[in-house]
């Protein structure tokens, strides 16, 4: 980052100051938002590369502008590597991020007004899975399945009965706030029983699928898998649609020219790099470690009395009901932890009686902490700090002490891509 900081020092010192501030925040605090991660230094380099200058509407070999000899190389590389990592027949790496990625699938494979069976937002689904406030929720007829109140797990009997009743054209799995793996074979059976297509939005857990630590929906015969590239995969902020070969033309046409214009070629270069890393043996170790860290964190928090949705985790995240555990809402919990340099996000829980900006819980995840090299015993320390803070969220003196301990602890775990000597610049 030297060049960037040096350049900004000459031309925009206010921006340089904010950048150094963010670098310091990321280095001295513990990132536990399950959808965040620290990307590779090579990804930061490619994002800031001259590929950002290039327009490349179309696809490799079929572009609407000249000068594509290198953009074609990187896009083909990204597509081929993504197919190899996930065992897919076709990949589209142009979606600008997660929302257009999912929209492109619905618009490419369905007609407006068609029915989609997907997970309810408050039970862990995503806005693009048909929340009434989303444009997709207005354009398509979404039927929402929920989790079983007794276990917190998806109720497959309910999924089957909703499918029989509403006969969806698409059965959608995937989540942003649910701490378990999916029974893809059961979802496929539901879809087959009504002749529906199957899709998983694996954005949160694609890193664990790539690394073999969670199940791969294609093994159960799924038609489409979507994923953002910046969460557990550690890549740039982008989207990838993986699908069967016979759906490829409809998907590609839906992304461009249906929904988007020029692809972000700097992001596609970075996705190519991310897929190379995801295929390496070290990534398998990383994926397993993310899950073992989440289990260690969950185990210690539960030992201390935490009420976790589904009573634990099989993936990279846990969802805690802070209202029932500590008598505080998710916003109060998020703010108290933030004051100690521990970053989580407030989260609605199933059928939450509270509104989204003051929900009943928080979401906690381990991809970023694992990237920094934190291990199972570090998770115990983290849980102990979290418990103490959440028990006494107004004890500002003690929280300030914990913040100092957190900073000291974090100094052992450098953030990839951040040179600590840069942080002295504006201190
Ligand atoms: N914002 C992402 C998440 O945190 O889960 C999903 O889009």
């Amino acid at each position: 980052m030297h060049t960037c900081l040096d350049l900004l020092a000459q031309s925009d010192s206010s921006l340089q100051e904010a950048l150094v501030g963010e670098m310091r925040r990321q280095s001295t605090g513990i990132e536990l938002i399950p959808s965040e991660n620290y990307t590779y230094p090579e990804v930061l380099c490619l994002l800031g590369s001259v590929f950002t200058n290039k327009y490349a509407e179309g696809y490799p070999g079929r572009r609407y502008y000249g000068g594509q000899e290198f953009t074609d190389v990187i896009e083909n590389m990204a597509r081929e590597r993504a197919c190899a990592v996930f065992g897919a027949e076709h990949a589209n790496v142009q979606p600008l991020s997660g929302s257009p990625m999912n929209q492109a699938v619905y618009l490419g494979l369905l007609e407006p007004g068609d029915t989609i069976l997907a997970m309810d937002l408050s039970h862990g689904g995503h806005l693009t899975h048909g929340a009434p406030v989303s444009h997709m929720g207005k354009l398509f007829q979404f039927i929402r399945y929920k989790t079983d109140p007794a276990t917190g797990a998806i109720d497959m009997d309910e999924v089957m009965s909703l499918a029989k009743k509403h006969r969806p054209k698409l059965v959608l799995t995937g989540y942003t706030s649910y701490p378990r793996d999916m029974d893809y074979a059961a979802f496929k059976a539901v879809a087959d029983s009504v002749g529906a297509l199957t899709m998983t939005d694996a954005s949160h857990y694609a890193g664990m699928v790539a690394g073999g630590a969670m199940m791969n929906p294609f093994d159960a015969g799924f038609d489409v898998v979507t994923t953002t590239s910046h969460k557990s995969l550690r890549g740039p902020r982008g989207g990838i649609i993986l699908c069967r070969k016979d759906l490829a033309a409809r998907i590609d046409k839906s992304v461009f020219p249906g929904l988007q214009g020029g692809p972000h070629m700097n992001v596609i270069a970075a996705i190519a790099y991310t897929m190379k890393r995801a295929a390496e043996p070290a990534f398998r170790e990383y994926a397993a470690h993310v899950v073992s860290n989440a289990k260690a964190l969950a185990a210690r928090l539960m030992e201390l009395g935490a009420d976790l949705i589904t009573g634990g985790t099989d993936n990279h995240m846990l969802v805690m009901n802070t209202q029932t555990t500590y008598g505080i809402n998710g916003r109060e919990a998020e703010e108290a932890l933030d004051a100690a340099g521990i970053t989580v996000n407030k989260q609605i829980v199933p059928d939450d009686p509270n509104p989204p900006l003051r929900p009943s819980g928080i979401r906690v995840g381990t991809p970023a902490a694992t990237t920094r090299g934190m291990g199972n015993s570090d998770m115990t320390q983290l849980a102990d700090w979290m418990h103490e803070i959440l028990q006494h969220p107004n004890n500002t003196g003690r929280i300030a002490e914990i913040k100092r301990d957190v900073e000291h602890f974090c100094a052992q775990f450098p953030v990839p891509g951040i040179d600590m000597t840069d942080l002295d610049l504006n201190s």
Side-chain angles (χ1 to χ4, degrees):
M1 290 298 286
H2 266 303
T3 316
C4 181
L5 288 174
D6 293 347
L7 288 171
L8 287 174
Q10 305 300 320
S11 59
D12 193 338
S13 58
S14 311
L15 200 47
Q16 189 221 33
E17 202 176 311
L19 176 57
V20 172
E22 178 61 12
M23 288 161 72
R24 186 178 295 117
R25 188 193 71 79
Q26 291 192 15
S27 302
T28 57
I30 300 168
E31 183 53 72
L32 292 177
I33 294 175
S35 49
E36 293 194 16
N37 211 331
Y38 303 104
T39 195
Y40 302 100
E42 290 85 347
V43 164
L44 294 176
C45 157
L46 286 163
L47 288 175
S49 73
V50 293
F51 278 119
T52 202
N53 297 339
K54 190 72 196 101
Y55 258 124
E57 274 103 327
Y59 290 99
R62 288 180 295 120
R63 307 272 194 193
Y64 291 84
Y65 293 78
Q68 306 293 347
E69 40 292 41
F70 300 106
T71 46
D72 279 6
V73 169
I74 58 166
E75 187 162 348
N76 278 330
M77 228 181 240
R79 295 198 297 192
E80 284 157 20
R81 289 176 179 178
C83 284
V85 163
F86 291 100
E89 291 177 2
H90 178 74
N92 186 307
V93 293
Q94 294 196 2
L96 301 177
S97 206
S99 293
M101 165 188 86
N102 287 341
Q103 289 167 17
V105 177
Y106 307 153
L107 294 164
L109 302 184
L110 307 173
E111 294 299 325
D114 277 354
T115 299
I116 302 175
L117 183 59
M119 196 167 185
D120 187 85
L121 181 69
S122 88
H123 288 247
H126 186 244
L127 279 171
T128 57
H129 301 176
V133 291
S134 77
H135 289 314
M136 293 301 108
K138 297 184 178 84
L139 206 51
F140 295 96
Q141 169 75 23
F142 278 89
I143 304 297
R144 298 176 190 88
Y145 57 85
K146 298 188 171 187
T147 51
D148 179 344
T151 62
I154 293 171
D155 178 351
M156 288 311 300
D157 291 338
E158 192 212 9
V159 175
M160 180 62 98
S161 82
L162 287 171
K164 295 274 188 218
K165 183 168 171 203
H166 298 282
R167 308 205 63 87
K169 292 273 171 51
L170 177 71
V171 171
L172 171 61
T173 69
Y175 49 76
T176 61
S177 183
Y178 181 71
R180 299 290 172 186
D181 208 345
M182 291 287 190
D183 186 348
Y184 296 109
F187 274 103
K188 174 80 172 127
V190 168
D192 285 349
S193 75
V194 295
L197 289 166
T198 40
M199 166 181 170
T200 294
D201 176 354
S203 294
H204 257 262
Y205 48 89
M208 276 66 75
V209 174
M214 289 178 70
M215 284 182 285
N216 186 331
F218 285 126
D219 290 342
F222 263 52
D223 301 304
V224 181
V225 175
T226 60
T227 179
T228 48
S229 39
H230 50 276
K231 298 186 176 86
S232 49
L233 281 169
R234 288 194 64 193
R237 303 191 85 85
I240 305 173
I241 302 172
L242 303 144
C243 65
R244 289 196 333 245
K245 211 175 202 144
D246 60 304
L247 302 175
R250 282 154 76 192
I251 292 290
D252 285 355
K253 211 170 145 197
S254 181
V255 173
F256 174 85
L259 198 61
Q260 297 183 175
H264 295 180
M265 296 314 300
N266 56 332
V267 173
I268 289 174
I271 287 177
Y273 181 79
T274 303
M275 291 298 111
K276 177 181 191 294
R277 298 296 298 262
E280 290 172 355
F283 198 82
R284 293 187 82 76
E285 281 171 35
Y286 169 71
H289 203 184
V290 168
V291 175
S292 78
N293 272 346
K295 283 181 186 290
L297 187 58
R300 179 62 179 159
L301 284 168
M302 286 192 296
E303 210 171 275
L304 296 168
D307 177 9
L308 300 188
I309 305 295
T310 78
T313 181
D314 289 332
N315 58 24
H316 62 300
M317 82 164 95
L318 34 123
V319 185
M320 186 199 296
N321 190 324
T322 53
Q323 201 70 62
T324 51
T325 309
Y326 296 106
I328 58 174
N329 66 49
R331 181 163 123 189
E332 292 163 326
E334 178 190 292
E335 286 172 1
L337 292 167
D338 228 355
I342 298 173
T343 313
V344 303
N345 73 276
K346 54 181 150 315
Q347 177 64 41
I348 45 177
V349 300
D351 295 325
D352 203 325
N354 290 322
L357 286 174
R358 240 176 344 95
S360 300
I362 54 173
R363 231 177 25 158
V364 183
T366 52
T370 307
T371 296
R372 275 177 99 160
M374 294 175 191
N376 291 182
S377 57
D378 300 312
M379 295 302 116
T380 306
Q381 169 66 83
L382 272 184
D384 289 347
W385 278 327
M386 289 174 70
H387 175 68
E388 190 178 350
I389 294 164
L390 295 176
Q391 264 190 320
H392 307 290
N394 298 318
N395 188 344
T396 49
R398 179 63 190 135
I399 289 176
E401 279 173 18
I402 295 177
K403 184 176 169 59
R404 281 193 290 278
D405 291 344
V406 164
E407 284 180 13
H408 186 67
F409 169 80
C410 282
Q412 304 165 66
F413 302 100
V415 172
I418 297 183
D419 182 342
M420 297 299 276
T421 57
D422 286 338
L423 304 186
D424 300 331
L425 282 173
N426 291 47
S427 58

